[in-house]
Amino acid sequence: MGKDGKPGKVYVNGRFLRGPITGTSRVAEEVLAAWDAAIRAGDARFAGASIEVLCPNDATRSLPLEAIRINRRNLLGGKFWEPVDLGLLAWKGTLVNFANVAPLYHPCALTYVHDAQMFLYPESYPSGELFTHRPLMRVAGRMSRRVVTVSEFSSQMLQRFGIAPASKIAVIHNGADHIVRVAPDASVLARFGLSPQGYVLMLGSA
């Protein structure tokens, strides 16, 4: 949707294509894949809308999209790409940010802030990352017209730490549909000496 609530130009913050796959980038990839499939199927909700992923010139990854274009563009580049370049490049449309942070300003932005882990468990993060990302999350919360998070608990934490007020937050639970595309491999259990119901699997970034 455009700024007036009608179909229009939608830009997606594609900075996540510059680094390795993380949890937030996986959400972005799955949502964009679903949008792309819906557009190709003629979904009426996307009628008249134009979606474009903006990413830095040095983005190393791409996505197998057909109806959504990926555009590599720099103005200042480097560390200024997300806080400055992106806001200017996407100025005339709606901007969707999937990975917790956003440009310093944009007139019509929607930002996914998945959780408040950096505020709840700061000891789990490098000090430099805390110094930059926590203020940027608060900026994104204040600047964005809408903040999306993944659970009611995360919504409460975003409010508690002053990232966004309840009036701005929408809860959209993460899906797990992608798992049906993976063929199960039962030999993994034997290979690692595991038995069904006899182990704990933990997923996360190192």
Side-chain angles (χ1 to χ4, degrees):
M1 291 294 181
K3 300 174 187 177
D4 56 1
K6 298 177 181 179
K9 188 68 178 180
V10 176
Y11 295 98
V12 175
N13 181 349
R15 185 182 180 278
F16 65 89
L17 293 174
R18 188 159 66 180
I21 297 176
T22 64
T24 57
S25 66
R26 186 60 189 267
V27 170
E29 292 181 17
E30 292 294 331
V31 172
L32 287 170
W35 287 359
D36 193 69
I39 293 170
R40 288 186 282 109
D43 192 314
R45 292 171 295 181
F46 291 87
S50 172
I51 302 175
E52 179 179 335
V53 179
L54 293 171
C55 58
N57 286 344
D58 61 352
T60 56
R61 296 192 295 114
S62 190
L63 298 173
L65 304 175
E66 297 178 28
I68 297 175
R69 189 159 63 101
I70 296 178
N71 188 2
R72 289 169 166 79
R73 287 190 65 188
N74 277 13
L75 296 176
L76 299 176
K79 63 183 180 181
F80 295 104
W81 190 87
E82 191 168 42
V84 179
D85 290 14
L86 178 61
L88 295 173
L89 293 170
W91 192 261
K92 293 184 178 180
T94 297
L95 174 63
V96 179
N97 304 283
F98 280 107
N100 298 325
V101 294
L104 295 175
Y105 182 72
H106 189 277
C108 187
L110 178 150
T111 302
Y112 271 66
V113 182
H114 294 257
D115 54 53
Q117 295 296 88
M118 279 192 170
F119 296 85
L120 281 168
Y121 304 106
E123 65 275 11
S124 300
Y125 298 86
S127 57
E129 193 172 341
L130 292 173
F131 181 77
T132 56
H133 276 67
R134 290 203 296 190
L136 287 174
M137 287 173 68
R138 286 196 168 107
V139 168
R142 286 195 295 268
M143 180 274 299
S144 299
R145 287 196 177 185
R146 199 73 165 161
V147 171
V148 175
T149 195
V150 300
S151 68
E152 292 297 341
F153 174 77
S154 287
S155 173
Q156 293 168 16
M157 293 303 100
L158 298 186
Q159 297 170 54
R160 171 181 166 185
F161 291 106
I163 297 168
S167 58
K168 270 191 180 183
I169 299 174
V171 174
I172 300 179
H173 303 292
N174 283 339
D177 309 59
H178 64 282
I179 200 66
V180 302
R181 301 198 298 266
V182 179
D185 179 6
S187 68
V188 167
L189 298 181
R191 192 156 70 243
F192 289 99
L194 302 173
S195 59
Q197 310 301 318
Y199 64 91
V200 175
L201 174 66
M202 178 178 175
L203 301 175
S205 300

